[in-house]
Amino acid sequence: MTVTLKDVDNHDLWSVDIEPRPDARPGQIMAQHI
Amino acid sequence: MRPWKVIAADLSIGLVSEDAVALGDGPPQRRECEIADLLSFMKRAGIRNTVWLTADMHYTAAHHYDPNRAVFPEFEPFWEFVSGPLHAGTWAPGDLDNTFGPKAMFQKGCSAEQGENLAPCFGLQFSAVSISTAGPKS
């Protein structure tokens, strides 16, 4: 998964690729606001 | 399967501020105890791979929390991304509290030369974080 920090003009400031650790329990969407 | 759990919370966990969770170095105290309870519960329950989105520190930052650096080590490592408010004076990056072992991997705010509470017209306004499972340019 890639997470990118942005400014208000939608310019990319910094990104990081993060890998999940093994043996994770599947997540559930508990709440979602759009 | 969704390996990541994204948690939106308004208050930063490791940035020392009266407006945040962190109160200073050392074992959890006062409101830090609530985060300690939650993090230790998630460890016991096998809930891994959490990403926290927090705000209201008037600059942007990426923090990685590692129990090997923490005074309170009963949790799984996690990331925190700080951004926002949308339109407010910009602050300089703050001090990190070693309670939960944060390390700043990136931070951007005003510099000492620019001074604190920089006006929005200087262009240092942060409010967005994008999350992609298909690469940084998708």
Side-chain angles (χ1 to χ4, degrees), chain A residues 13-34:
Chain A
L13 299 173
W14 185 82
S15 292
V16 61
D17 293 313
I18 51 180
E19 294 294 327
R21 301 185 71 200
D23 302 326
R25 286 176 49 183
Q28 293 181 327
I29 296 177
M30 304 298 291
Q32 182 169 300
H33 301 277
I34 297 175

Side-chain angles (χ1 to χ4, degrees), chain B residues 70-118:
Chain B
V71 173
F72 178 85
E74 297 303 314
F75 65 91
E76 296 284 349
F78 66 93
W79 282 87
E80 174 190 48
F81 299 95
V82 186
S83 188
L86 176 65
H87 190 74
T90 307
W91 297 349
D95 295 329
L96 295 176
D97 172 345
N98 70 4
T99 305
F100 302 111
K103 180 179 181 181
M105 311 304 282
F106 173 81
Q107 50 190 12
K108 186 174 180 65
C110 63
S111 66
E113 292 75 24
Q114 290 173 309
E116 279 287 323
N117 212 20
L118 204 63

Side-chain angles (χ1 to χ4, degrees), chain A residues 1-10 12-29, chain B residues 1-2 4-5 45-46 48-49 51 60-62 76-77 79 81 86 106 125-132 135-136:
Chain A
M1 181 170 83
T2 302
V3 180
T4 303
L5 293 172
K6 298 177 173 242
D7 65 16
V8 290
D9 296 317
N10 208 34
D12 291 358
L13 299 173
W14 185 82
S15 292
V16 61
D17 293 313
I18 51 180
E19 294 294 327
R21 301 185 71 200
D23 302 326
R25 286 176 49 183
Q28 293 181 327
I29 296 177
Chain B
M1 176 169 171
R2 298 185 180 95
W4 294 104
K5 295 85 178 171
R48 290 181 160 182
N49 301 320
V51 171
T60 189
E76 296 284 349
W79 282 87
F81 299 95
L86 176 65
F106 173 81
Q125 298 290 290
F126 315 105
S127 64
V129 177
S130 77
I131 297 176
S132 169

